[in-house]
């Protein structure tokens, strides 16, 4: 099996390590398992990075104002397509640079990919930590904070080494300077390769490619690290303000009650199947009511409200024979006692649970499967 390239080399190494499970006969299995793992890992990372970069690019363009303000609307498909194409072209050019690098993509591209991937995790953890502080959940802030600190220490150390190391085999800029010196002070041998200090650096075209690629990769390493440092500093400042104030408002959408039903486990129970049918009937009525006249909509609302009264009194048991499902108010939605609907036509002014004792309860005193709160 050819093991040229980074992915097969890593897969071969993993198969050797994992061969203690099953012996030599399982090495082929572990090799292909590692190849599949690498492919899925890279594809999901590229997918996530593309989405995040596209949102960041569209938001940045929208902040410029004027005609570009339209980019801030995520529902504008043309803007989303333009930003996606630009982002894909960006990482596609880096990928092309890596696979055509004279030194091999594993030596130049993979470290940059690994650093970018972990710095993306640092951004996500910073966002989570900031939201936790802003919502006032200080005692839970250690959950995102500890992995954030670890991620920053490890990844920033690697970034520092790739940027400032004096060893050409490690630092991008050290390798960049070495190839510049070879181009300036080296000489060509009979085979047409650049020779300097007793080492061959390849053809002049290969030397120029390495100089170009190391410059791009070194610059990106600095940009990635700088952006993450700025984001983390801003997140820490906002978190400190939230701690001093007790909490801060967030830009999150307000919580909304669920308007969908699903069984509690893989297979539905009898009660859940019955409740599912009731729920589907209720939603179809609301959908129909929103498209009808106010009088007809009120009639539908009164009908479902009457069913809620029966459920509260115990006459509607959803096929269980002895249970009135807790959370019937969720089935009825936000129906008003008087049966009127609001201006949107699909919600009502008050909860049907106000019909009796504030809430419909199970006769047995326990919540049956599938009850929604």
């Amino acid at each position: 099996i050819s093991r040229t390239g980074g992915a097969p080399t890593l897969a071969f190494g993993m198969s050797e390590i994992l061969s203690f499970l099953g012996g030599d006969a399982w090495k082929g299995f572990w090799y292909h398992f590692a190849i599949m793992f690498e492919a899925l890992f890279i594809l999901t990372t590229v997918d996530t990075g593309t989405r995040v970069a596209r949102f960041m690019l569209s938001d940045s363009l929208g902040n410029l104002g004027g005609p570009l303000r339209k980019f801030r609307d995520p529902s504008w498909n043309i803007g989303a397509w333009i930003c996606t194409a630009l982002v894909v072209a960006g990482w596609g050019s880096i990928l092309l640079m890596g696979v055509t690098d004279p030194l091999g993509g594993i030596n130049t591209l993979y470290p940059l990919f690994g650093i970018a991937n972990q710095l993306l995790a640092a951004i996500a953890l910073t966002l989570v930590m900031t939201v936790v502080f802003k919502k006032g959940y200080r005692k839970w802030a250690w959950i995102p904070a500890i992995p954030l600190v670890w991620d920053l220490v490890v990844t920033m150390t690697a970034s520092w080494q790739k940027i400032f190391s004096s060893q050409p085999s490690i630092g991008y800029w050290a390798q960049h300077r070495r190839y510049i010196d070879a181009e300036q002070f080296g000489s060509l041998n009979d085979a047409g390769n650049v020779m300097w200090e007793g080492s061959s650096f390849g053809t002049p075209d290969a030397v120029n490619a390495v100089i170009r690629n190391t410059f791009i990769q070194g610059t990106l390493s600095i940009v990635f690290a700088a952006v993450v440092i700025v984001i983390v500093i801003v997140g820490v400042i906002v978190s400190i303000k939230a701690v001093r104030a007790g909490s801060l408002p967030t830009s999150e959408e307000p919580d909304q009650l669920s308007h969908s039903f699903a069984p509690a486990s893989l297979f539905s129970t009898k009660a859940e199947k019955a409740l599912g049918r009731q729920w589907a009937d209720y939603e179809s009525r609301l959908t129909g009511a929103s498209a009808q006249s106010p009088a007809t909509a009120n009639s539908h609302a009164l009908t479902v409200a009457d069913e809620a009264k029966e459920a509260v009194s115990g006459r509607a048991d959803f096929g269980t024979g002895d249970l009135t499902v807790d959370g019937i108010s969720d089935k009825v939605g936000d129906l008003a006692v008087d049966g009127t609907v609001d201006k949107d036509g699909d919600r009502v002014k008050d909860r049907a649970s106000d019909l009796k004792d504030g809430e419909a309860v199970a006769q047995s005193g326990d919540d049956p499967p599938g009850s929604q709160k």
Side-chain angles (χ1 to χ4, degrees):
I1 298 177
S2 173
R3 289 193 283 119
T4 57
T9 300
L10 178 60
F12 184 83
M14 291 182 65
S15 67
E16 289 290 332
I17 295 172
L18 296 174
S19 62
F20 74 92
L21 297 175
D24 292 342
W26 277 62
K27 281 186 178 181
F29 168 81
W30 291 121
Y31 176 85
H32 289 90
F33 172 84
I35 287 290
M36 180 186 67
F37 166 79
E38 291 178 73
L40 294 177
F41 172 72
I42 293 173
L43 289 175
T44 53
T45 302
V46 170
D47 173 68
T48 304
T50 301
R51 293 172 185 269
V52 173
R54 190 256 290 182
F55 281 120
M56 294 175 66
L57 178 60
S58 61
D59 198 53
S60 299
L61 292 175
N63 288 334
L64 296 178
L68 296 178
R69 189 182 300 275
K70 198 172 182 180
F71 277 95
R72 298 192 67 177
D73 181 9
S75 63
W76 186 40
N77 290 333
I78 296 178
W81 296 337
I82 293 174
C83 292
T84 301
L86 292 175
V87 171
V88 172
W91 64 254
S93 61
I94 297 176
L95 177 62
L96 180 63
M97 177 185 66
V99 298
T100 58
D101 193 285
L103 300 179
I106 189 63
N107 293 320
T108 56
L109 184 60
Y110 199 79
L112 186 65
F113 166 77
I115 291 174
N117 182 56
Q118 297 307 312
L119 290 181
L120 183 64
I123 294 175
L125 289 169
T126 302
L127 175 62
V128 173
M129 181 190 70
T130 305
V131 172
V132 168
F133 275 116
K134 291 181 74 173
K135 293 180 75 69
Y137 302 144
R138 287 182 291 176
K139 66 178 182 178
W140 304 112
W142 63 271
I143 296 177
I146 291 178
L148 171 61
V149 171
W150 173 256
D151 188 357
L152 287 174
V153 169
V154 174
T155 311
M156 285 302 175
T157 300
S159 298
W160 178 275
Q161 292 177 347
K162 295 301 294 183
I163 295 171
F164 296 105
S165 176
S166 59
Q167 300 182 34
S169 60
I170 297 178
Y172 284 131
W173 295 109
Q175 190 176 67
H176 180 74
R177 288 189 297 269
R178 179 170 172 77
Y179 271 76
I180 288 179
D181 293 341
E183 182 185 40
Q184 293 178 349
F185 307 113
S187 58
L188 292 177
N189 60 12
D190 295 337
N193 294 327
V194 177
M195 300 294 297
W196 184 59
E197 293 184 343
S199 300
S200 175
F201 290 79
T203 65
D205 290 339
V207 171
N208 289 329
V210 172
I211 293 173
R212 181 191 66 245
N213 292 352
T214 51
F215 175 80
I216 295 174
Q217 292 157 349
T219 302
L220 288 176
S221 295
I222 296 174
V223 171
F224 290 166
V227 169
V228 172
I229 290 174
V230 170
I231 292 176
V232 171
I233 291 175
V234 173
V236 170
I237 293 174
V238 174
S239 299
I240 293 174
K241 290 181 179 179
V243 171
R244 291 176 177 176
S247 64
L248 289 176
T250 68
S251 58
E252 291 183 301
E253 293 291 330
D255 295 338
Q256 295 184 0
L257 292 176
S258 172
H259 282 262
S260 61
F261 169 76
S265 59
L266 183 60
F267 300 101
S268 301
T269 63
K270 270 188 176 181
E272 288 173 335
K273 290 179 180 178
L275 182 57
R277 290 191 294 270
Q278 294 281 348
W279 191 274
D281 179 62
Y282 157 68
E283 288 188 331
S284 65
R285 295 188 198 187
L286 283 188
T287 303
S290 64
Q292 295 169 356
S293 64
T296 306
N298 288 343
S299 175
H300 280 296
L302 285 171
T303 301
V304 183
D306 289 339
E307 292 181 1
K309 291 180 182 179
E310 294 181 0
V312 172
S313 63
R315 291 195 296 274
D317 60 5
F318 300 109
T320 61
D322 59 352
L323 288 178
T324 298
V325 176
D326 183 16
I328 185 64
S329 57
D330 287 325
K331 168 193 173 296
V332 197
D334 293 330
L335 289 173
V337 175
D338 60 0
T340 58
V341 297
D342 67 3
K343 61 182 180 180
D344 296 326
D346 60 350
R347 290 184 179 272
V348 291
K349 300 177 182 177
D350 219 342
R351 294 184 62 82
S353 56
D354 293 334
L355 290 174
K356 181 177 180 180
D357 298 332
E359 187 175 7
V361 297
Q363 292 178 356
S364 64
D366 297 323
D367 291 338
S371 65
Q372 304 293 309
K373 288 188 176 181

